[in-house]
């Protein structure tokens, strides 16, 4: 992996508390017109879900599942961007998160059969890895957007970075690398500014 990609892949501030933040940041714009997508292939999406304890190592996602995951990510990114900008969210983004939330029942149902008698069990589709992962990420995104940390949500202030973070104090960068790049750009601008007459 390229050095800039290594630095960018480190979780942004707040991602340890909100996996949905790391999920939104799994597609990254990098300096020099580079781009990386940690959900770009079924194998990389499997790895990302496993690393975040959202799927077993042998989940074996197909491209269709990976595409659904990337689609939800773009809707979550849209919601985070709307929150940061202080504008209304796109109804389609809200609907996508709500759809993911409702795919998985929140409580085990009461079942009764001759063999085991009354018992509680989660019905299908709870056994589906992708639905579980998407529901968990959607719930976490909803928690972030509606909780006390929502006011700290911001976008990285170092172009071309497109990641989100939870601001701590005055910090507006997702990584040390982005902060260094922003400071260097400001210093260069000061040095090259024409003198005032």
């Amino acid at each position: 992996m390229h050095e800039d990609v290594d630095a960018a892949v480190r979780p942004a501030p707040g991602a340890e508390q909100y996996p949905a933040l790391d999920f939104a940041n799994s597609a990254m714009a990098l300096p020099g017109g580079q781009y990386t997508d940690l959900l770009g292939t079924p194998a990389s999406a499997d790895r990302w879900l496993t690393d975040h304890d959202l799927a077993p190592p042998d989940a074996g996602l197909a491209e269709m599942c990976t595409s659904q995951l990337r689609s939800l990510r773009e809707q979550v990114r849209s919601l985070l961007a709307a929150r940061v900008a202080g504008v209304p969210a796109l109804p389609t983004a809200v609907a996508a998160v709500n759809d993911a939330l409702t795919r998985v029942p929140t409580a085990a149902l009461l079942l009764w059969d001759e063999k085991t008698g009354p018992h509680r069990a989660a019905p299908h589709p709870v056994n589906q890895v992708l639905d579980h992962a998407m529901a968990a990420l959607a719930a976490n995104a909803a928690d972030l957007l509606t909780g006390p940390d929502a006011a700290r949500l911001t976008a990285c202030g170092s172009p071309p970075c497109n990641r989100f973070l939870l601001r701590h104090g005055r910090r507006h960068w997702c990584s040390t690398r982005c902060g260094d790049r922003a400071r260097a750009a400001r210093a260069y601008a000061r040095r090259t500014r024409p003198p005032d007459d």
Side-chain angles (χ1 to χ4, degrees):
M1 214 182 264
H2 188 274
E3 185 181 340
D4 285 336
V5 174
D6 285 339
V9 171
R10 290 188 192 104
E16 62 285 342
Q17 183 179 358
Y18 294 100
L21 193 58
D22 212 27
F23 177 57
N25 290 338
S26 64
M28 295 168 273
L30 303 168
Q34 293 183 8
Y35 178 84
T36 190
D37 187 349
L38 300 178
L39 307 176
T41 66
S44 64
D46 267 345
R47 199 169 31 258
W48 192 91
L49 290 174
T50 300
D51 290 349
H52 289 80
D53 296 322
L54 293 168
D58 59 351
L61 292 182
E63 178 54 38
M64 184 178 79
C65 298
T66 306
S67 178
Q68 289 177 30
L69 201 56
R70 286 190 301 261
S71 177
L72 179 63
R73 176 187 60 201
E74 294 313 308
Q75 301 300 338
V76 169
R77 285 188 59 77
S78 171
L79 294 173
L80 297 180
R83 177 67 170 100
V84 168
V87 298
L90 293 173
T92 54
V94 174
V97 167
N98 284 332
D99 179 57
L101 285 168
T102 58
R103 284 186 184 190
V104 179
T106 58
L109 301 178
L110 175 64
L111 303 175
W112 200 305
D113 60 52
E114 289 180 26
K115 211 174 184 182
T116 58
H119 63 282
R120 294 197 59 187
H124 182 83
V126 170
N127 299 325
Q128 295 179 354
V129 171
L130 182 65
D131 285 346
H132 274 290
M134 290 176 63
L137 291 165
N140 191 256
D143 289 345
L144 171 59
L145 289 165
T146 60
D149 289 326
R152 295 177 38 221
L153 182 65
T154 192
C156 183
S158 179
C161 187
N162 64 339
R163 297 195 328 156
F164 295 96
L165 65 135
L166 292 184
R167 186 176 45 250
H168 294 284
R170 294 176 33 188
R171 181 177 176 169
H172 289 272
W173 303 291
C174 70
S175 67
T176 304
R177 168 116 12 201
C178 281
D180 290 347
R181 202 170 42 249
R183 285 187 286 277
R186 279 198 313 265
Y188 178 78
R190 281 192 302 271
R191 285 192 310 270
T192 58
R193 187 179 312 141
D196 293 334
D197 289 329

